[in-house]
Amino acid sequence: MGLKEALILRIAKRWIAGTRLEDAIKDAKKANSRGVGAVINYLGEDITEDSVAESHTNEYLRLQNEIHNQGIRGCVSLKLTQLGLILDREKARRRLEKIVENGAKLKQYVWIDMEGSKFTDVTLYLYLAVLESYGNTGVALQAYLRRTQDDMERIISKGGMVRLVKGAYRESSEIAFSKRTEIRKNYEKLMERLFSSGIYFAVATHDKHLIDRAIELSKEKKEGFEFELLKGIREELKDELVSSGYTVSEYLPYGENWYPYSKRRIYEHPSNIMLLIRSLI
Ligand SMILES: Cc1cc2nc3c(=O)[nH]c(=O)nc-3n(C[C@H](O)[C@H](O)[C@H](O)COP(=O)(O)OP(=O)(O)OC[C@H]3O[C@@H](n4cnc5c(N)ncnc54)[C@H](O)[C@@H]3O)c2cc1C
């Protein structure tokens, strides 16, 4: 491990459950004991070897079974490029179906993370294809993309399930809003639409303004949606939301492939750059 990676790992530990499935299960139990559900992600993306995509698929099946066997309130969240999307779309689809089918059998949701914009079309295509046979699946939509309102309407019309996030990848201003104020404004507009949509959805943000707005919009009814937050960020808020009667889940990543995820977390928030600098002193 190089020096840069070693430094990032020191900070990243707060966002990651550990390297093994057992670590994730342990964290999921801790979350459950606070009244928080667990959305567990096995870290990995951009897989370019078929055998690795196959082993990631098997890890998710094992994870789903373990969630069930250990009586955990939780489910998995995966990336399609870890199921081999870059190599073979149809194979990735079959692997996704296998995981979603297992989830249906165990009465668990399966969330699909949204990756960089070159994968948006194919992710939605595969999501909607699988949704036709299985209702227990949802997909993340990114408020920074200008196209998201249309994508969301498509999913609403098919009775899908949406996790609304701001978006974590570098995108060009042609296709994405780049100012924080614009992204927040679009998020708010999309979230308002979700509240009137009738589909199940997740408000996945740590942004106080947006969470307050969600609370305002849910005055009448605290059901039909959940708050989802990342492990290691705004812990006190999770407890506050639970004690106010909201459904809250924590996104818990684990695995050896922690670097790309941790880099995104570090660069999206300036205070983490300061932590990184301080860890050098
Ligand atoms: C459950 C969940 C699932 C996600 N899934 C996806 C996905 O599939 N695809 C995708 O592109 N993105 C995903 N994201 C990431 C998302 O797109 C944002 O990059 C991330 O949530 C930060 O944006 P924010 O909405 O919290 O707002 P921000 O404006 O970035 O943050 C609001 C406040 O939250 C705190 N905060 C936020 N991030 C950090 C951090 N890294 N370190 C320390 N404090 C922080 C700070 O107090 C900050 O002021 C997901 C996020 C969540 C919560």
Side-chain angles (χ1 to χ4, degrees):
M1 189 188 300
L3 180 63
K4 190 174 159 206
E5 286 194 19
L7 286 171
I8 289 185
L9 181 60
R10 260 158 76 175
I11 297 171
K13 278 185 174 156
R14 73 189 60 192
W15 301 311
I16 292 165
T19 53
R20 302 164 316 145
L21 189 147
E22 293 70 26
D23 300 323
I25 294 291
K26 205 165 127 198
D27 263 23
K29 282 185 179 165
K30 268 195 226 157
N32 281 186
S33 70
R34 295 162 61 194
V36 174
V39 176
I40 309 180
N41 169 253
Y42 177 52
L43 290 162
E45 52 201 276
D46 296 342
I47 299 302
T48 51
E49 262 179 70
D50 195 61
S51 61
V52 178
E54 192 61 28
S55 83
H56 280 230
T57 308
N58 290 332
E59 179 80 4
Y60 275 112
L61 295 169
R62 197 159 79 86
L63 180 56
Q64 288 176 311
N65 294 339
E66 210 48 29
I67 289 173
H68 176 77
N69 293 339
Q70 304 259 351
I72 285 164
R73 179 161 74 84
C75 63
V76 302
S77 191
L78 54 84
K79 289 184 171 52
L80 291 181
T81 65
Q82 70 183 145
L83 305 187
L85 182 65
I86 294 169
L87 296 165
D88 183 332
R89 190 178 78 171
E90 284 313 303
K91 255 190 180 172
R93 173 196 176 127
R94 285 198 292 278
R95 288 175 175 138
L96 174 65
E97 270 170 356
K98 214 167 159 183
I99 295 168
V100 174
E101 192 179 353
N102 193 42
K105 200 176 80 196
L106 301 173
K107 300 199 171 21
Q108 290 172 19
Y109 287 147
V110 174
W111 284 105
I112 300 172
D113 290 354
M114 187 57 82
E115 303 178 66
S117 59
K118 66 176 177 199
F119 299 113
T120 312
D121 276 328
V122 67
T123 300
L124 292 176
Y125 169 79
L126 291 189
Y127 169 65
L128 291 170
V130 171
L131 183 69
E132 275 186 20
S133 316
Y134 304 96
N136 61 316
T137 173
V139 67
L141 290 181
Q142 298 154 324
Y144 65 10
L145 290 186
R146 297 177 193 275
R147 59 178 284 171
T148 293
Q149 186 166 14
D150 293 339
D151 294 335
M152 185 180 276
E153 288 306 331
R154 216 147 43 108
I155 294 174
I156 292 171
S157 72
K158 304 275 182 200
M161 198 164 83
V162 168
R163 172 204 294 153
L164 187 59
V165 301
K166 283 189 182 173
Y169 298 81
R170 267 172 214 268
E171 302 292 357
S172 87
S173 59
E174 269 167 42
I175 60 160
F177 299 106
S178 48
K179 289 195 190 122
R180 292 178 86 84
T181 48
E182 285 177 323
I183 298 169
R184 182 191 263 173
K185 199 165 144 210
N186 200 41
Y187 191 111
E188 191 166 340
K189 189 172 91 182
L190 296 166
M191 182 172 71
E192 284 168 1
R193 174 69 185 107
L194 283 172
F195 271 97
S196 67
S197 68
I199 64 166
Y200 193 80
F201 60 96
V203 174
T205 179
H206 314 91
D207 186 325
K208 173 95 175 56
H209 169 83
L210 293 170
I211 289 175
D212 286 347
R213 180 74 185 121
I215 290 172
E216 209 175 287
L217 290 164
S218 66
K219 275 259 153 60
E220 306 282 300
K221 198 163 71 94
K222 289 178 179 170
E223 292 145 26
F225 80 102
E226 65 187 56
F227 287 106
E228 285 186 9
L229 294 93
L230 302 177
K231 173 183 162 65
I233 301 179
R234 305 215 51 195
E235 293 301 329
E236 73 303 332
L237 179 65
K238 292 171 194 164
D239 295 332
E240 278 170 34
L241 290 169
V242 169
S243 47
S244 304
Y246 289 100
T247 303
V248 180
S249 294
E250 182 167 71
Y251 185 96
L252 288 171
Y254 77 97
E256 299 282 353
N257 198 355
W258 48 267
Y259 189 62
Y261 177 84
S262 308
K263 238 174 45 180
R264 285 196 290 277
R265 295 290 79 78
I266 288 191
Y267 292 121
E268 79 193 351
H269 210 260
S271 64
N272 297 322
I273 313 269
M274 286 313 293
L275 273 179
L276 200 62
I277 292 167
R278 262 192 242 125
S279 74
L280 284 168
I281 302 168

